Amino acid sequence: MKKVILDVDPGIDDAMALALAFKSEKLDILGITTVAGNLPLETTTQNAANVLDVLEGKCKVYKGSEKPLEKHLRTAEHIHGPTGLGYLELPEIKENIAQQDAVTFMAEQINRYPGEITIIAVAPLTNIAKLFKDYPKIDEKIAEIIIMGGAVDVKGNVTEQAEFNIYADPEAANIVFSGKCGKTLVGLDVTLKVLLTAKELDEISCIKNKVSDAVEKMTRFYLDKYENVNKLAGCALHDPLAVGVAIQPDIVKTTPMYLEVVEQEGENRGKVLKKAQGEIIKVCKGVDSDKFLRYYIEALK
Ligand code: BDR
Ligand code: CA
């Protein structure tokens, strides 16, 4: 089993990603760390705890960064709803929220299992950047970071140039991109090819178990936003795909690249640029979307 830490900002697709991770027998989930992103930190942390309870996960939720390294927080309730989980209403669970903070937890686990841990980061990269800053050379002890973020050869989704997670904290992204560990970027180049439509959602609604029912309620809201706000035929499974890559790496095709993120204020802030040298990042350029969609639905059964 692959030892993983899930760094999230739930958020509907984050919660959908958690559902996939906890349904998989290939992942040993050490903990969930939270960060401000789609919603403020208190909400993302509470949502993670409530979702973890539905999934009957045995690990804990570790609260992380309240705001990006240098700039203001910009949230995304217009896509995820005021509570962050669309139409899903869950009881508030406090018991599975740990006292320890996210960065200390990550460092402790990485030092305990050097070279073994994969971080699946599907939110702004603030926690991981702080980890690299506070614990020099800890990056060398991480097996891999799978990052949902960036738009390399396609348009952005927050601005013309930038994707949400990278735009939210470009300074953090640059720190993480220069880390000396395996790095895979699951960006809009592939996630916008994995669209869940009303047809698949109807299939999910027929499964009828606790997890599929919860996913169905959230996704109905998310699909509506994608159809009406983003004008797409389905909703993009951004964060679930990053979990899918951890479980089954051959679901995507990658190209090695050196990347940096524009930090300068202005229309290019958050844009991912290719550069001539640096630390290699495996950038996902192709995806077997049908296979992944089938895999996601089967996992909920
Ligand atoms: C990313 O932005 C967030 O809104 C989603 O949860 C996902 O992580 C997609 O750009
Ligand atoms: Ca997310």
Side-chain angles (χ1 to χ4, degrees):
M1 287 227 278
K2 198 180 258 187
K3 287 187 177 34
V4 299
I5 294 173
L6 293 150
D7 192 52
V8 299
D9 61 338
I12 295 175
D13 61 325
D14 299 76
M16 294 172 79
L18 291 174
L20 176 60
F22 280 88
K23 283 282 187 181
S24 167
E25 282 159 11
K26 297 210 173 141
L27 304 182
D28 173 11
I29 303 167
L30 303 175
I32 298 173
T33 52
T34 58
V35 61
N38 285 323
L39 296 111
L41 181 65
E42 288 303 324
T43 315
T44 58
T45 305
Q46 192 58 62
N47 284 345
N50 301 346
V51 169
L52 179 61
D53 183 61
V54 174
L55 300 172
E56 296 175 12
K58 299 286 173 263
C59 67
K60 293 218 176 295
V61 173
Y62 300 82
K63 199 167 162 183
S65 312
E66 199 165 26
K67 59 181 189 59
L69 289 186
E70 289 180 21
K71 298 279 160 51
H72 308 296
L73 176 65
R74 179 184 155 152
T75 53
E77 285 90 349
H78 61 292
I79 297 290
H80 301 270
T83 66
L85 298 180
Y87 299 128
L88 179 65
E89 283 173 29
L90 294 175
E92 204 171 274
I93 307 294
K94 295 280 178 205
E95 301 78 61
N96 57 16
I97 302 178
Q99 289 301 315
Q100 193 177 37
D101 71 278
V103 173
T104 313
F105 168 74
M106 283 180 175
E108 191 184 272
Q109 295 297 312
I110 294 161
N111 283 321
R112 186 160 164 203
Y113 302 112
E116 284 187 53
I117 293 181
T118 296
I119 301 176
I120 306 175
V122 296
L125 291 165
T126 323
N127 286 339
I128 303 169
K130 281 188 184 166
L131 174 76
F132 285 12
K133 282 165 97 155
D134 295 352
Y135 297 85
K137 291 193 183 286
I138 197 144
D139 49 335
E140 294 171 17
K141 298 187 202 164
I142 298 170
E144 189 181 14
I145 309 180
I146 300 176
I147 302 160
M148 190 285 124
V152 179
D153 288 316
V154 295
K155 279 201 310 192
N157 62 355
V158 185
T159 68
E160 223 15 53
Q161 308 293 344
E163 179 280 332
F164 181 84
N165 289 338
I166 300 299
Y167 182 80
D169 199 343
E171 287 78 12
N174 274 329
I175 294 172
V176 177
F177 283 6
S178 61
K180 291 186 172 33
C181 55
K183 293 176 291 303
T184 299
L185 194 75
V186 185
L188 299 185
D189 303 67
V190 282
T191 64
L192 281 176
K193 292 182 184 149
V194 185
L195 296 181
L196 186 142
T197 66
K199 182 173 156 277
E200 282 91 29
L201 190 53
D202 287 344
E203 243 185 277
I204 292 174
S205 71
C206 291
I207 300 175
K208 300 219 178 299
N209 64 42
K210 193 161 85 164
V211 175
S212 65
D213 286 353
V215 167
E216 198 254 334
K217 286 206 180 89
M218 296 186 288
T219 311
R220 216 160 272 290
F221 184 96
Y222 189 55
L223 178 61
D224 183 57
K225 294 296 166 195
Y226 263 78
E227 286 173 344
N228 295 313
V229 180
N230 293 346
K231 306 280 178 227
L232 287 173
C235 54
L237 299 193
H238 305 290
D239 297 350
L241 185 62
V243 172
V245 171
I247 298 170
Q248 221 176 311
D250 66 358
I251 208 127
V252 287
K253 286 209 166 50
T254 64
T255 307
M257 293 185 193
Y258 308 115
L259 302 175
E260 77 178 314
V261 179
V262 177
E263 294 180 6
Q264 202 188 354
E265 285 298 341
E267 64 180 26
N268 286 334
R269 182 164 166 87
K271 182 179 169 70
V272 174
L273 301 175
K274 295 176 197 168
K275 55 178 190 173
Q277 54 188 9
E279 291 297 328
I280 285 184
I281 302 179
K282 290 194 282 173
V283 178
C284 296
K285 293 295 298 168
V287 58
D288 188 338
S289 12
D290 290 341
K291 189 170 168 187
F292 179 68
L293 277 168
R294 292 306 333 148
Y295 182 76
Y296 188 82
I297 295 169
E298 285 306 310
L300 296 177
K301 289 186 177 166

